[in-house]
Amino acid sequence: MAEADKAQAQLAWAGLQDGAAVLRLSGSWTLAARKPDLLVVWRSLADKPAALQLQVEALEAWDSSLLALLRRLQRLADEEQRELRHDDLPEGVRRLLRMAAAPAAEEREELPRFGPVSRLGLLALHVRDALVEACSFCGEVLLALGRLLRGRACLRRGDFWTALMQCGPGALPIVALIASLVGLILAFVGAAQLEAFGAQLYIANMVAIGMTREMGALMTAVIMAGRTGAAYAAELGSMQANEEIDALKTFGFPPLEFLVLPRLLALLVSMPLLCVFADALGILGGFIIGAGVFDISAPLYLNQSLELIGLADFLLGVVKSLVFALLIGLIGCHHGLACGRNAQAVGEATTRAVVRIIVALVVSDALITLICTQLGI
């Protein structure tokens, strides 16, 4: 109790000095000290001059209580339109007061407005930088693959098998569902046209060719883009935001070999298998429509499908699936490693990765189809 009585804060009017009313502050201004009522002290001087002078004497200790007092005192002076001077405050108190008086958020500088030519130039520079960065990343991945072939890459087999289980067997249910529905849709669309000519049997031809050459590989790739490509971007982006990749570099583990190669190799192994699986289920979906709606017998449907499908058609779908696997792995991992250092950046990187993967899939599929058409494949 004696210590509490000793630790007191003093605040009282002390006359006039150079035309200004002096408000004397002394003692210990801490949370534990007993403090006078500011409103009572303020109202005790009825006729206040236009200027007020805060005089600090024998200030033993202070903390945030003193800052709160000064802020309240400044508001009272502003309400009565009086000038408050506090030149003899400790330097630390004055610095904190300036920080408290500063606006919470600084006004943002107005961005310059560019004309159409300038915007076009900036877009060209942005595209150039993105292409250079992408080419550099692909080159580093190729070098890492070369080290892997020489047996010098830092790659753990456990990481590869974990990634393979995630993008292989883990994707079978959704691939099975989508491939079956695509086969059903192709059969329905073809039947609507072929029924007018009494050529329902050729539903098998259309479904078999459409699934093996185009839809099997493309639909599987789109599913893997939303499922695996987004997961790669989010996983690596979270590691980048949490500085785990920096920790790997500090300990001498190359991120490309340790993180990218297992995921890329897992996609290269699983995508052709998933493509073949999707082809089979798509043909099965077409058979359900052919047999259930148009009474095409199972042997006749299968013979019609196998007669039309050649080895070139089957291999074309497998080659497309390999190209799509490369695009999904490279784009997803690249956006994950290029992610920013916060949660918002992880979401943005994942969104950009999925969008660019799908665009790359469609463009590459169109180019491969155009080349094969020109070559007569």
Side-chain angles (χ1 to χ4, degrees), residues 53-111:
Q53 176 67 43
L54 183 64
Q55 188 178 78
V56 179
E57 290 185 357
L59 183 61
E60 298 176 3
W62 62 272
D63 56 14
S64 58
S65 300
L66 178 59
L67 298 176
L69 168 78
L70 296 175
R71 293 288 291 171
R72 291 179 59 197
L73 192 59
Q74 183 66 54
R75 284 196 295 270
L76 290 173
D78 293 339
E79 290 174 0
E80 297 185 7
Q81 298 181 354
R82 303 183 189 280
E83 179 187 3
L84 178 63
R85 306 170 188 167
H86 40 67
D87 301 331
D88 55 348
L89 286 173
E91 178 60 27
V93 178
R94 283 187 290 175
R95 186 166 60 251
L96 291 175
L97 281 177
R98 287 195 298 267
M99 293 174 59
E106 297 181 357
E107 296 183 359
R108 296 182 179 180
E109 296 182 1
E110 185 178 356
L111 296 176

Side-chain angles (χ1 to χ4, degrees), residues 20 32 54 147 159 164 174-175 201 207 235 242 258 266 276 282 288 310 319:
L54 183 64
R147 289 191 292 270
D159 294 339
L164 183 62
I174 184 64
V175 171
L201 179 61
V207 173
E235 289 173 4
N242 295 332
F258 200 74
V276 175
I288 293 174
V319 170

Side-chain angles (χ1 to χ4, degrees), residues 150-213:
R150 295 195 303 269
R152 298 180 179 178
C154 182
L155 185 148
R156 297 190 303 180
R157 294 181 180 180
D159 294 339
F160 168 74
W161 288 112
T162 301
L164 183 62
M165 291 299 295
Q166 291 176 351
C167 64
L172 286 177
I174 184 64
V175 171
L177 176 63
I178 299 300
S180 302
L181 292 177
V182 169
L184 289 171
I185 294 170
L186 285 177
F188 269 122
V189 171
Q193 303 299 323
L194 295 174
E195 189 178 11
F197 302 96
Q200 295 92 333
L201 179 61
Y202 293 101
I203 294 174
N205 301 36
M206 186 189 64
V207 173
I209 289 296
M211 289 301 301
T212 54
R213 291 181 67 97

Side-chain angles (χ1 to χ4, degrees), residues 10-16 20-25 37-49 51-55 73 76-77 80 82-84:
Q10 303 293 332
L11 184 68
W13 296 105
L16 296 175
V22 177
L23 183 61
R24 184 170 297 164
L25 183 147
D37 191 336
L38 176 61
L39 289 178
V40 173
V41 175
W42 180 264
R43 293 168 182 168
S44 64
L45 184 63
D47 298 329
K48 302 183 186 67
L52 307 175
Q53 176 67 43
L54 183 64
Q55 188 178 78
L73 192 59
L76 290 173
E80 297 185 7
R82 303 183 189 280
E83 179 187 3
L84 178 63

Side-chain angles (χ1 to χ4, degrees), residues 308-372:
L308 189 64
I309 298 176
L311 182 62
D313 301 321
F314 176 76
L315 292 179
L316 177 60
V318 173
V319 170
K320 283 185 176 182
S321 67
L322 290 172
V323 175
F324 296 159
L326 277 174
L327 292 174
I328 294 171
L330 290 175
I331 296 176
C333 293
H334 170 65
H335 281 82
L337 293 176
C339 176
R341 301 283 182 170
N342 53 61
Q344 182 181 359
V346 175
E348 293 174 353
T350 305
T351 303
R352 286 196 301 267
V354 174
V355 171
R356 293 182 182 180
I357 287 173
I358 293 177
V359 171
L361 292 178
V362 175
V363 172
S364 62
D365 182 63
L367 291 176
I368 295 173
T369 302
L370 180 61
I371 293 172
C372 293

